[in-house]
Amino acid sequence: MKKIYTLALTALFAHQLSAQIHTETFENFTLTEEGFLIGVQPVDTLYGEHMKFVNDYTPAWQSWMGIAISNIQNNTQGDFGNQYASITNGGDQSNNYAVVYNNGVITFNESSIVKSMRITNTTYAALTMRDGDPFCKQFGSPLNAAGIEDGTNGADFFKINFKFYRADNSMIDITKDFYLADFRFEAEEEDYILMDWQTLQFDELATEPVKYIEMTMESSDQSDWGMNNPAYFAMDNIVIEQTDLNVSNVINSITLFPNPTRSTTQLNGAFESWHLIDMTGKS
């Protein structure tokens, strides 16, 4: 009696996987004469080279939230009229950069390993936290903008919260924070408001392909209406890693017929090795 054999392919496709590193510099965007780019309709999309950015524009109010693109250089005007400027007086080693207001969503063209991004404050946010204004307290002070003790004892902070999602919209069980200002240290000289570009690494996501990122902001300076300090930050040079061909693509590219077989089978495809096993699993 002839034995029936099934063919099992080993998952040794490392040579098939061509990892590519991409950096979103925002230089492909064409900006307005004023030096920024926002949407023109509600829930508009700004398309980068390897990812896209949501910008929610409200025509009736001529206002926006989400992610805008800017090349404005102004690190002295700390008010709403300068909402598109980074405190570093421009981008990180390039002209263009992104400004996030209130919240932001980054969606990758393909699910990717997120490596890093560069982050800093906007001029509006940094100088308002440093000096205070009629709505925002001076960070590090025990008093709010109205001059009343707010219960913080000056232990103020302003941070970004990151959440990560797969292509099926399920949330990855990894969250990350990044502090744009932190006055919670015992030694006052360690308190800071971020005034330069800093690198945020995403080492925790080394094995988790991400389809999109949600970013929200949180502050210690709160009122009944929410956050008092300007809810802005700037980002640049988002680094991701993509593979041109994943294991499932390789497996799908291999054909064999017939399988199972009592004698011979035809195998077509590129692979490292194969094993012939019988129905009992014996090689």
Side-chain angles (χ1 to χ4, degrees):
M1 175 180 173
K2 290 186 178 180
K3 292 183 178 180
I4 299 177
Y5 295 92
T6 59
L7 193 66
L9 298 176
T10 59
L12 300 177
F13 303 118
H15 75 298
Q16 295 283 339
L17 305 180
S18 177
Q20 295 185 351
I21 302 295
H22 301 296
T23 302
E24 185 62 60
T25 64
F26 300 97
E27 295 306 303
N28 69 306
F29 288 98
T30 301
L31 311 187
T32 64
E33 292 182 359
E34 292 84 0
F36 62 86
L37 177 66
I38 59 175
V40 296
Q41 59 188 3
V43 195
D44 210 344
T45 303
L46 307 179
Y47 292 91
E49 293 186 274
H50 306 287
M51 56 199 77
K52 56 188 178 182
F53 311 92
V54 175
N55 184 285
D56 192 353
Y57 179 67
T58 304
W61 299 342
Q62 295 186 347
S63 64
W64 66 279
M65 65 176 61
I67 300 176
I69 316 301
S70 174
N71 64 12
I72 294 176
Q73 298 182 18
N74 184 335
N75 63 354
T76 59
Q77 181 184 347
D79 58 37
F80 177 76
N82 192 32
Q83 65 173 321
Y84 296 105
S86 72
I87 191 62
T88 59
N89 211 27
D92 178 37
Q93 302 178 358
S94 62
N95 292 324
N96 293 357
Y97 55 96
V99 174
V100 183
Y101 169 53
N102 193 44
N103 57 62
V105 177
I106 304 171
T107 303
F108 303 112
N109 295 349
E110 300 176 14
S111 293
S112 305
I113 300 298
V114 186
K115 309 291 284 186
S116 65
M117 67 172 62
R118 298 277 277 173
I119 296 176
T120 193
N121 273 302
T122 64
T123 303
Y124 181 26
L127 299 190
T128 301
M129 289 186 290
R130 186 191 70 183
D131 303 330
D133 69 12
F135 306 100
C136 170
K137 68 177 293 184
Q138 182 182 39
F139 271 41
S141 168
L143 307 179
N144 63 19
I148 302 170
E149 289 192 6
D150 60 7
T152 65
N153 198 31
D156 294 300
F157 68 87
F158 177 37
K159 69 177 182 176
I160 313 165
N161 302 316
F162 292 85
K163 294 182 179 179
F164 311 95
Y165 295 83
R166 303 180 182 90
D168 63 2
N169 295 321
S170 62
M171 189 172 72
I172 297 171
D173 190 24
I174 296 172
T175 57
K176 197 170 183 71
D177 296 334
F178 182 86
Y179 283 84
L180 295 158
D182 197 347
F183 284 72
R184 301 171 303 157
F185 298 98
E186 289 188 13
E188 290 186 5
E189 60 269 21
E190 296 182 25
D191 296 339
Y192 68 89
I193 297 171
L194 188 61
M195 294 289 189
D196 56 5
W197 289 103
Q198 293 291 322
T199 300
L200 173 60
Q201 301 280 0
F202 296 98
D203 297 336
E204 305 93 330
L205 295 163
T207 60
E208 286 281 4
V210 174
K211 182 60 178 177
Y212 62 98
I213 300 175
E214 287 184 352
M215 301 172 290
T216 56
M217 282 162 266
E218 182 180 346
S219 169
S220 58
D221 188 12
Q222 295 283 331
S223 67
D224 293 340
W225 303 101
M227 188 187 309
N228 292 323
N229 57 288
Y232 294 79
F233 72 90
M235 64 181 179
D236 202 354
N237 291 329
I238 305 171
V239 181
I240 60 173
E241 180 181 307
Q242 294 178 338
T243 55
D244 292 333
L245 197 59
N246 59 35
V247 170
S248 62
N249 295 143
V250 177
I251 293 175
N252 291 335
S253 72
I254 296 172
T255 59
L256 53 106
F257 181 85
N259 183 33
T261 181
R262 293 180 181 274
S263 55
T264 60
T265 188
Q266 181 70 40
L267 175 63
N268 298 308
F271 44 85
E272 289 269 340
S273 63
W274 55 269
H275 286 157
L276 186 67
I277 60 173
D278 63 24
M279 294 294 286
T280 67
K282 183 178 179 181
S283 180

